[in-house]
Amino acid sequence: MILTREQALEIFKRRVSTRSYDPTRTISDEDFNTILEFGRLSPSSVGSEPWKFLVIQNK
């Protein structure tokens, strides 16, 4: 799926910074895996991919 310029701008316009969290709210496994995939596919300098992800799901 390729986003148009307008679609990408709309996504950025709706972005917000979270000020508080609802501890009872959970993220679906599908959404969680998608978020991790976005991170994994993020570009890096000369493909070095220097990041590591630490996933903690235990309160």
Side-chain angles (χ1 to χ4, degrees):
M1 175 178 154
I2 296 179
L3 296 176
T4 65
R5 177 182 179 276
E6 290 77 20
Q7 289 171 323
L9 283 171
E10 281 305 311
I11 290 169
F12 275 78
K13 287 177 185 177
R14 290 192 312 260
R15 187 199 63 76
V16 296
S17 179
T18 302
R19 302 280 190 249
S20 62
Y21 298 91
D22 179 353
T24 63
R25 189 171 176 192
T26 59
I27 299 173
S28 72
D29 287 341
E30 182 181 6
D31 286 346
F32 192 79
N33 289 329
T34 300
I35 291 166
L36 288 175
E37 188 69 359
F38 284 149
R40 189 184 73 77
L41 295 173
S42 295
S44 63
S45 178
V46 296
S48 63
E49 300 177 353
W51 47 80
K52 293 181 182 183
F53 300 99
L54 175 63
V55 178
I56 300 172
Q57 293 182 308
N58 184 335
K59 292 180 184 181

